[in-house]
Amino acid sequence: MGVTSLALVAGTPDDPDRYNNWLEGRLAAVSPLLLANDTWSDALMSEVFGHPWLAPVYAALPLRAASPILTNEIKTYLAASVLDDRKADRRWFWRRTGVVEYRTQEGVALLASFGVRCLADIPHPNFAPDDSACKAGPMCHNEAVLEQYSAWYGRTHEHRRLRQTRNWLRDGKVTTGEFHAPEVQLFGDLHRHAIIDRAQMRPVAERDIVLLNDLYSEDDTRFRDRQRISDQYLNFLRFPPWLRPLSRAFLLDKISHGELAPATATGTMSRLRRFARFLHEEGVTGPDGIAEPLMERFLAWGNARGAKGKNWYTDIVQLLRAAPVLAPGRWPTIALDKRAVRRIDYKQAPDDSRNRLYASREGANRAASTDSIAAIMAHLNELPDPIPAIFRIGVTTGARAEDLHALLFDCLEPDPHDARFMLFTFWQNKVSRWNRKPLLVTDAAHQAMIGIIEEQRERVRRCHGRETKYLFPVFHGKRESFLGCNWTSQELKSLCLRHQITDGEGRPVDFAWHPLRHHRGTQMAAEGHDILSIMFELGHASPDMASMYVNKRLELRKNALIRKGGGRFYTIEGRVDEAVGDLLLRKDAMTATRVGGGACTLPGQLGEWCEHAHAHACLTCRHFRADGDDVDHFRGERSKLYVTIENLEKEARTCEDEGRTRMAGIARKRLERNKDAVQNTDAIIRSIEAQGQYQGSEQRYRPALARQEATQ
């Protein structure tokens, strides 16, 4: 696994003696006893770190190697591991006994074969620039290092396996590969740890490997729990040396201003690396080679390779604009045309080989088909727990993949104000807000979901003997995290492949979690829910996102035109507003949002600052448009208004009799507003009951066929 070339680029070239002094200083701060002892034992570990849960693991394990630097690297690795609650497991330490033994016995010979003085100086493919001869995946190690360790491991443990075969799904097909056994891969993990640890010698602003723990706090929800096995980091060693300082300063500046979340930071890093690969192909070796003509070629280069979205180009534009400020005197000011962004080949739907109309017929069409979901549901019992529960909750709620897997144990609770409902609450990491969904106890689908959550809670209590933080917990040592969506998606991919499940077009289903979210939005649109309801259900930040489920389906557009279009929206004066039906459908000019009894045309999409937050207030607002199908709603509102007016008249008279002039004035103003609402409601009802004889400029409404038959 990895590469066989020894001509790799190693870590930061720091002086080995300085590196050794830094290691000794860290050990002295953490554990002076460990620094002074050259033999690791359970008694020492319990005395120094207070971890009796590991005993007995190391009765007596020598730590001294022929090289002092190598000895301190071993001690630092063990000290950091003991202090990490994710590694609070006897088996974790027991499996690494062979790694420690090899470094003490054969470590000097390993260093001599590479001509270095410490393990951190041995090249590793994960920390080589992208333009080097080293081409390796994120989980690869130095093949030459693993071969040497594998040979020693095979001689020492003859009964242990050295190679293994693994299968995984890619593009709907089973892919097979042969790799080193996990016991051998452990030495590669230790090698990577040494390089990452050595990079922490420098200040954060100068590090080539920056741990996200040094950039983000625990205020970033689920950031700590998402780091299940090892700490995440930003690796600037993948950039050429001349581009490295600018890329580091650019990312750290955006993070310091709160512009990048942990997951977004790694995505931005990958886009910067793409630009570095382009510069390598163009032969650019310094800032002087970057100019506007080069950016024109980069735009064409990205379009030709089908780069997704727009950020792959706009992030680079931001980088070059910030370069003279972040690196004054080293980077020139580069004039870039902002209009170049318009030439990015950005499509919601890729071109289809048959014709363009087919590709755009259903827009993005990213929703999972109903038939494929039904087929998966029929075979869910074949999958291990808790995948069936996660899948059913995902179909019902449309939650994003990580939010769905990271549901809290107490995500479901009774509604304290209404016994008919249960409240389902989950955190939406993308938009950083809670989404609270009411579940009607008498509804069959909601009742099934409530049962699934309660059953999963009982399963967790039986398995762990207590209530956990997450509804689908996994444990690494003592740290609780949530189940990863990669494993569950691979299991569902295998299920689809095993049963030859196809989508609506007859193609094999390459399962992913996000199409379930689009399925839920499309399902709600088909059931007649308005854009605002879809927005609240899926937790969108704006109605624009929810409008795609209406805009992207021809059948839904037809249904919306039949039910909500045709000039059946009225102003509060009872006049027809013929444009609102189109505004509710058009994404590019959507200035109307569904509200109770009609639509709101207030600019800003019913912003949180709007004072018209309920039906009575809307009835006095000039932005309100009443729906012709909701005559019963307005009759009910009129009855409530009569009661309110009567109560306000009594309140005003009482205040006047008691001499409370100010309160009487307030009551009179409320009374007048409610009388205006009654007058407007009467006008709306009269217009609706006129059966099409409106005061509008043009008569466009025709009753639906089913309604005509019902009235005959």
Side-chain angles (χ1 to χ4, degrees):
M1 185 176 186
V3 295
T4 56
S5 172
L6 301 183
L8 304 178
V9 178
T12 308
D14 290 305
D15 178 62
D17 293 329
R18 176 172 172 265
Y19 174 46
N20 187 47
N21 293 334
W22 180 75
L23 288 174
E24 290 182 350
R26 290 187 63 192
L27 286 170
V30 174
S31 170
L33 287 176
L34 181 59
L35 177 63
N37 283 272
D38 292 330
T39 301
W40 183 278
S41 65
D42 293 320
L44 175 66
M45 186 163 52
S46 298
E47 181 179 357
V48 174
F49 299 103
H51 284 294
W53 38 263
L54 287 173
V57 177
Y58 302 132
L61 183 66
L63 300 181
R64 176 178 289 277
S67 168
I69 301 179
L70 191 58
T71 300
N72 288 331
E73 282 183 321
I74 296 173
K75 292 181 179 180
T76 303
Y77 174 71
L78 290 173
S81 301
V82 173
L83 294 175
D84 192 339
D85 59 354
R86 292 168 296 186
K87 300 173 178 59
D89 186 352
R90 291 183 65 254
R91 185 172 178 269
W92 194 96
F93 283 87
W94 181 258
R95 293 180 64 202
R96 283 152 180 79
T97 302
V99 172
V100 177
E101 291 176 345
Y102 174 74
R103 289 179 67 173
T104 55
Q105 298 175 18
E106 305 290 334
V108 174
L110 175 67
L111 298 181
S113 65
F114 287 91
V116 297
R117 292 180 56 188
C118 61
L119 188 65
D121 274 338
I122 297 178
H124 192 288
N126 286 170
F127 306 103
D130 290 335
D131 56 5
S132 67
C134 169
K135 301 294 182 183
M139 300 305 296
C140 295
H141 301 295
N142 190 321
E143 188 72 14
V145 172
L146 293 189
E147 287 294 342
Q148 292 192 41
Y149 178 69
S150 179
W152 175 87
Y153 192 82
R155 295 192 304 268
T156 308
H157 306 279
E158 297 180 357
H159 63 286
R160 299 289 180 87
R161 60 177 179 171
L162 301 178
R163 309 287 295 186
Q164 69 170 356
T165 300
R166 292 182 59 193
N167 299 325
W168 67 93
L169 286 172
R170 179 175 294 171
D171 299 328
K173 297 180 180 179
V174 178
T175 305
T176 303
E178 187 180 37
F179 307 92
H180 289 288
E183 294 81 0
V184 177
Q185 295 276 5
L186 289 177
F187 193 83
D189 294 336
L190 189 148
H191 179 202
R192 181 194 287 116
H193 176 273
I195 296 176
I196 295 173
D197 194 48
R198 198 260 301 270
Q200 311 311 305
M201 290 176 59
R202 298 185 175 189
V204 174
E206 300 177 6
R207 292 177 189 171
D208 290 329
I209 303 173
V210 183
L211 295 171
L212 294 187
N213 287 333
D214 294 332
L215 303 176
Y216 295 96
S217 67
E218 283 308 303
D219 295 335
D220 299 288
T221 307
R222 294 206 302 256
F223 167 63
R224 180 175 181 269
D225 294 341
R226 198 184 294 114
Q227 300 183 94
R228 294 178 176 85
I229 300 176
S230 58
D231 294 328
Q232 299 175 8
Y233 54 87
L234 299 176
N235 178 15
F236 295 101
L237 291 171
R238 303 294 283 182
F239 294 90
W242 66 272
L243 189 58
R244 196 175 298 162
L246 176 62
S247 301
R248 177 173 54 233
F250 177 71
L251 274 171
L252 296 184
D253 180 68
K254 291 181 76 68
I255 292 173
S256 66
H257 286 84
E259 297 177 12
L260 297 178
T264 313
T266 56
T268 305
M269 185 91 166
S270 65
R271 290 188 284 273
L272 298 183
R273 285 176 55 188
R274 177 182 298 186
F275 181 60
R277 289 195 294 271
F278 165 76
L279 295 178
H280 174 66
E281 294 180 10
E282 291 286 321
V284 179
T285 58
D288 295 336
I290 301 178
E292 187 172 359
L294 180 73
M295 294 303 295
E296 293 288 338
R297 294 198 296 274
F298 175 61
L299 181 60
W301 181 85
N303 286 337
R305 284 160 177 77
K308 297 180 180 179
K310 294 184 178 180
N311 290 343
W312 64 269
Y313 180 79
T314 56
D315 281 354
I316 307 307
V317 172
Q318 291 182 20
L319 173 73
L320 297 181
R321 286 178 178 169
V325 178
L326 298 174
R330 288 174 288 175
W331 279 80
T333 301
I334 303 173
L336 297 174
D337 189 354
K338 297 181 180 179
R339 295 174 299 175
V341 178
R342 300 177 183 176
R343 298 200 300 274
I344 298 176
D345 290 344
Y346 176 72
K347 298 183 179 68
Q348 286 282 5
D351 288 337
D352 191 88
S353 59
R354 284 171 276 187
N355 54 65
R356 293 183 183 177
L357 289 178
Y358 178 84
S360 62
R361 184 186 68 189
E362 293 295 339
N365 197 19
R366 292 172 290 174
S369 68
T370 304
D371 293 340
S372 63
I373 290 179
I376 294 174
M377 293 282 283
H379 300 285
L380 270 183
N381 292 334
E382 301 176 16
L383 298 176
D385 291 327
I387 298 179
I390 298 175
F391 184 86
R392 291 188 174 99
I393 295 175
V395 171
T396 306
T397 63
R400 295 180 180 90
E402 185 183 275
D403 302 335
L404 178 63
H405 287 71
L407 294 176
L408 297 177
F409 188 89
D410 56 353
C411 62
L412 184 68
E413 58 184 7
D415 187 344
H417 305 294
D418 194 336
R420 298 171 300 172
F421 291 92
M422 299 283 284
L423 298 180
F424 175 68
T425 308
F426 61 95
W427 175 257
Q428 298 179 125
N429 207 52
K430 182 178 180 179
V431 294
S432 299
R433 65 180 61 174
W434 291 98
N435 190 345
R436 176 166 290 186
K437 174 181 172 62
L439 301 179
L440 185 60
V441 177
T442 56
D443 181 81
H446 290 177
Q447 194 175 49
M449 181 173 162
I450 294 171
I452 290 170
I453 295 175
E454 293 293 354
E455 183 180 350
Q456 176 62 22
R457 283 174 170 174
E458 288 301 319
R459 186 182 297 112
V460 170
R461 292 189 184 100
R462 291 194 302 268
C463 180
H464 302 285
R466 60 182 177 86
E467 294 184 357
T468 55
K469 177 180 179 180
Y470 291 104
L471 186 62
F472 307 107
V474 292
F475 288 87
H476 300 282
K478 290 185 175 181
R479 182 180 298 184
E480 179 185 348
S481 182
F482 51 89
L483 190 65
C485 55
N486 290 333
W487 172 70
T488 57
S489 63
Q490 284 294 322
E491 291 291 329
L492 284 159
K493 284 177 186 285
S494 300
L495 180 74
C496 296
L497 189 65
R498 187 163 60 247
H499 293 282
Q500 299 181 349
I501 298 175
T502 58
D503 60 14
E505 301 293 336
R507 296 168 297 194
V509 172
D510 191 10
F511 180 83
W513 283 107
H514 205 69
L516 294 185
R517 178 174 175 82
H518 293 301
H519 167 78
R520 177 58 182 157
T522 305
Q523 182 186 47
M524 290 187 65
E527 292 173 352
H529 292 273
D530 54 65
I531 290 176
L532 201 59
S533 298
I534 299 174
M535 170 188 168
F536 289 152
E537 175 76 8
L538 299 183
H540 289 136
S542 70
D544 280 351
M545 297 297 296
S547 67
M548 63 171 292
Y549 298 110
V550 175
N551 287 332
K552 300 300 183 182
R553 297 277 182 172
L554 183 60
E555 292 79 4
L556 297 180
R557 287 178 64 90
K558 291 178 180 178
N559 183 51
L561 288 171
I562 292 173
R563 296 186 63 251
K564 304 298 181 187
R568 292 190 292 120
F569 284 86
Y570 313 89
T571 66
I572 57 175
E573 293 85 8
R575 304 181 69 86
V576 176
D577 189 337
E578 294 134 345
V580 180
D582 292 334
L583 293 177
L584 283 169
L585 297 173
R586 291 177 55 201
K587 183 177 181 179
D588 57 341
M590 192 182 65
T591 59
T593 303
R594 291 291 302 174
V595 295
C600 176
T601 61
L602 179 68
Q605 298 302 324
L606 196 63
E608 295 179 359
W609 51 268
C610 176
E611 63 179 358
H612 298 163
H614 54 84
H616 294 351
C618 288
L619 291 173
T620 62
C621 177
R622 62 187 177 86
H623 298 289
F624 178 68
R625 299 296 181 268
D627 188 350
D629 285 344
D630 288 340
V631 62
D632 292 336
H633 167 81
F634 294 108
R635 287 172 178 161
E637 291 299 317
R638 184 172 58 181
S639 300
K640 296 176 183 177
L641 286 168
Y642 285 145
V643 175
T644 303
I645 289 173
E646 183 179 354
N647 293 334
L648 285 172
E649 287 179 346
K650 293 179 180 179
E651 180 182 350
R653 287 195 300 269
T654 301
C655 292
E656 291 171 349
D657 294 341
E658 295 177 356
R660 293 184 293 165
T661 307
R662 181 173 176 273
M663 294 303 299
I666 294 174
R668 289 295 179 185
K669 289 181 180 179
R670 291 176 179 174
L671 179 61
E672 292 302 321
R673 178 173 287 270
N674 281 273
K675 287 182 178 180
D676 291 341
V678 168
Q679 182 179 354
N680 294 334
T681 306
D682 288 336
I684 291 170
I685 293 174
R686 285 196 302 271
S687 297
I688 295 175
E689 291 176 342
Q691 292 295 328
Q693 303 301 319
Y694 310 130
Q695 302 173 35
S697 60
E698 182 182 353
Q699 168 59 36
R700 297 195 298 161
Y701 169 70
R702 295 292 183 274
L705 180 61
R707 194 179 304 157
Q708 289 179 347
E709 295 175 350
T711 57
Q712 290 177 356

